Amino acid sequence: MATVNDNYLKLKAGYLFPEIARRVNAFIEANPDSKVIRLGIGDVTEPLPQACRDAMIKAVEDMGDRNSFKGYGPEQGYAWLREKIAANDFQARGCDIDASEIFISDGSKCDCGNILDIFGDDNIIAVTDPVYPVYVDTNVMAGHTGDINEKGEYEGLVYLPVTAENNFTAEIPTQKVDLIYLCFPNNPTGATATKEHLQAWVDYARANGSIIFFDAAYEAFITDPSLPHSIYEIEGAKECAIEFRSFSKNAGFTGTRCALTVVPKNLIGKAKDGSDVELWKLWNRRQSTKFNGVSYIVQRGAEAVYSEEGKAQTRALIDFYMENAKIIREKLTEAGLAVYGGENAPYVWVQTPAGLTSWDFFDKLLQTCNVVGTPGSGFGAAGEGYFRISAFNSRDNVNEAMRRILDKFK
């Protein structure tokens, strides 16, 4: 009889978003005439930029001509896309990142989990709480944790609470940790990190031989010019950080799939015998073995993001969702709720009314307003008592959802 990976049995009964879908579907089945507005998951609603669509159509035509047809591409991504990314997203901000250090993938969510392939099983791992569930669940799957406790925390992980008291930016741990997950702008709280805060993390990582996994999937939504978009804007970060980015939210590629991971060539890990190992070589080997690359058509679409038309159209998309976030912030505040985030990120983090748990508030909004959000407790123990509202939806839906909530709570 084939055996299974018992680590999967440690996971909670259901991943957060499938559980939300289950509850929503049950409600709709019982109330078929209800018009549910979903502001839960961070899925975009607006069409791909015209520049991206045009480039992808041209790429499809390329595939119909023997002279321009493309078969297997480089697992690391085509050089012409990596060079555009290096120049526009990093070098333009003073970051010393070369195109060869950029790996194109089909999603930052995937890479955040897959990166564990090149690290050992005995690392001490720190995560913020609340946290994007993928960081925790993939470590559970890989056998890096013990069982879950009554608070919803897994043994073996170091949890760093992020709360209103610390402006939702985790404090530097007092103990030594080896791998650190940071996400700014933060999912789910919408919080941002200053250069000074990230410098403290980089200094800690360099002093302790730690590696920071920096999830910058929402960097394009930063509007404050004083805030860093990349960890590599911080002195010393190339010696201690891997950065993940995505085209999903800024250019609407959630259904198209294109992202990137930056692994600096001077980034070093330790083998069991104490010798130095270049992490770039390990990730390159991993990708070359387990990944066939993102399609030529999609990469041409991503390249178009960096054209003059693409930049303008992408900026318009970002501005559209940030206007949604502003509406949500203002209306929920008017409804008497304590609201955080939504100023440099597309997520609004709401404190639930007194006496209601995160899932209580979820059910209340669903039942009375036919509006769906995400319970904060689904992101970790410290998320209890909070609720995430996503700005990714049409303007009409956002306005209608806020009208319904005001009717019930004001």
Side-chain angles (χ1 to χ4, degrees), residues 76 82-83 86 97-103 263 265 280 284:
Q76 301 81 5
R82 299 159 83 193
E83 288 164 2
I97 296 298
D98 186 76
S100 64
E101 297 173 307
I102 295 168
F103 294 79
V263 183
K265 287 189 173 179
W280 183 94
N284 187 59

Side-chain angles (χ1 to χ4, degrees), residues 311-322:
K311 287 178 181 179
Q313 292 161 11
T314 300
R315 184 72 255 168
L317 271 181
I318 294 166
D319 290 346
F320 175 84
Y321 290 124
M322 288 309 297

Side-chain angles (χ1 to χ4, degrees), residues 301-369:
E303 181 193 29
V305 167
Y306 300 102
S307 67
E308 289 307 309
E309 298 85 354
K311 287 178 181 179
Q313 292 161 11
T314 300
R315 184 72 255 168
L317 271 181
I318 294 166
D319 290 346
F320 175 84
Y321 290 124
M322 288 309 297
E323 180 64 23
N324 280 353
K326 179 182 178 183
I327 292 169
I328 293 168
R329 277 183 57 89
E330 291 176 348
K331 296 303 181 181
L332 293 182
T333 300
E334 188 179 338
L337 299 170
V339 178
Y340 306 91
E343 292 178 309
N344 291 284
Y347 295 121
V348 177
W349 192 237
V350 185
Q351 191 167 14
T352 61
L356 292 181
T357 68
S358 296
W359 279 106
D360 286 344
F361 191 58
F362 173 90
D363 289 333
K364 184 178 179 66
L365 281 187
L366 179 60
Q367 298 287 339
T368 64
C369 303

Side-chain angles (χ1 to χ4, degrees), residues 109-130:
K109 174 183 178 180
C110 306
D111 285 356
C112 285
N114 292 335
I115 197 69
L116 296 174
D117 282 4
I118 69 171
F119 288 92
D121 294 331
D122 53 357
N123 289 302
I124 300 172
I125 299 163
V127 297
T128 57
D129 183 11

